[in-house]
């Protein structure tokens, strides 16, 4: 339910003309015995779109998520190299956690900015818009014009920056523990 509510809020931020998609009643606002349940949502998708309805927007999701991830990792490494040069390394020779966290947050914002139009299209297609990428783009352009590139950008950048911070804290902690273990192992081998 919270995922559905988050998507509903995202649709409002992205400026959709309809607050609730017409084809698929994601919030379960139509009267039914299992109102809003996963079972009711699945039945509704199956009824309106068949099995292919469960894969609505799969292609555009790939088109959005793959570049987002690539841009995220590339910008993280560039930012880490550029910003990290001004700070002293830790005992393992890696950047300190605050530098890594800052670069993670910034890389989230960079990748959100670069791929936001694809995310807006993905959201429109997955929530009952046209299944055609070209038609969805044309419709979005006719409704929003140049503003289609910035719909929901602030919310997306904040969301991605926050998740990037958590990802980097986890990733760099595991990496640091691995380096520490490897470093201790190498030192112990030198004495034997």
């Amino acid at each position: 339910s919270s995922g559905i509510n988050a998507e509903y809020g995202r649709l409002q931020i992205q400026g959709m003309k309809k607050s609730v998609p017409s084809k698929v009643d994601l919030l379960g606002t139509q009267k039914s015995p299992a109102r809003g349940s996963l079972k009711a949502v699945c039945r509704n998708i199956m009824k309106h779109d068949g099995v292919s309805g469960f894969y609505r927007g799969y292609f555009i999701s790939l088109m959005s998520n793959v570049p987002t991830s690539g841009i995220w990792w590339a910008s993280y490494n560039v930012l880490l190299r550029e910003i990290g040069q001004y700070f002293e390394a830790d005992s393992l020779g890696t950047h300190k956690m605050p530098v890594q966290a800052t670069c993670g947050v910034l890389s989230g914002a960079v990748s959100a900015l670069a791929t936001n139009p694809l995310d807006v299209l993905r959201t429109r297609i997955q929530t009952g818009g046209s299944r055609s990428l070209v038609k969805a783009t044309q419709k979005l352009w006719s409704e929003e014009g140049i503003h289609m590139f910035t719909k929901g950008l602030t919310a997306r950048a904040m969301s991605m920056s926050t998740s990037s911070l958590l990802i980097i804290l986890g990733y760099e902690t595991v990496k640091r523990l691995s380096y520490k273990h490897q470093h201790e192992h190498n030192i112990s081998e030198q004495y034997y």
Side-chain angles (χ1 to χ4, degrees):
S1 176
S2 65
I4 292 172
N5 289 332
E7 190 66 23
Y8 175 69
R10 183 182 181 120
L11 295 175
Q12 288 181 325
I13 290 169
Q14 290 179 342
M16 285 195 67
K17 301 296 183 210
K18 298 176 187 175
S19 59
V20 178
S22 59
K23 276 192 171 182
V24 179
D25 183 22
L26 293 176
L27 297 177
T29 56
Q30 295 175 355
K31 303 256 189 240
S32 69
R35 189 177 140 196
S37 70
L38 177 61
K39 188 175 181 180
V41 170
C42 291
R43 277 191 186 142
N44 207 349
I45 291 171
M46 194 68 167
K47 177 182 173 185
H48 290 287
D49 296 319
V51 173
S52 67
F54 293 102
Y55 297 96
R56 177 183 288 257
Y58 180 73
F59 178 69
I60 188 67
S61 289
L62 288 177
M63 284 181 50
S64 173
N65 293 339
V66 170
T68 298
S69 182
I71 291 168
W72 189 88
W73 282 107
S75 63
Y76 174 71
N77 285 307
V78 168
L79 288 165
L80 194 58
R81 183 183 66 234
E82 295 302 316
I83 293 172
Q85 70 184 338
Y86 298 105
F87 297 92
E88 192 176 310
D90 64 10
S91 62
L92 297 172
T94 62
H95 299 285
K96 293 184 178 173
M97 195 61 79
V99 174
Q100 295 166 332
T102 301
C103 294
V105 168
L106 293 173
S107 66
V110 167
S111 59
L113 178 65
T115 60
N116 195 62
L118 291 172
D119 191 62
V120 173
L121 284 169
R122 180 196 59 79
T123 301
R124 292 284 179 105
I125 288 171
Q126 287 181 329
T127 56
S130 171
R131 287 182 180 250
S132 164
L133 179 59
V134 173
K135 288 180 183 177
T137 304
Q138 289 170 339
K139 184 176 182 193
L140 190 57
W141 181 260
S142 71
E143 290 176 0
E144 306 293 343
I146 195 77
H147 298 291
M148 75 179 265
F149 296 110
T150 58
K151 286 289 173 195
L153 179 59
T154 303
R156 185 163 187 256
M158 288 173 57
S159 171
M160 287 189 66
S161 293
T162 304
S163 63
S164 296
L165 172 66
L166 298 174
I167 289 167
I168 282 303
L169 289 176
Y171 171 76
E172 293 294 350
T173 299
V174 169
K175 195 166 95 174
R176 186 177 311 271
L177 292 172
S178 298
Y179 281 157
K180 187 176 180 181
H181 177 72
Q182 183 180 2
H183 183 69
E184 289 171 355
H185 181 69
N186 289 344
I187 289 174
S188 66
E189 283 184 353
Q190 288 176 356
Y191 293 110
Y192 293 110

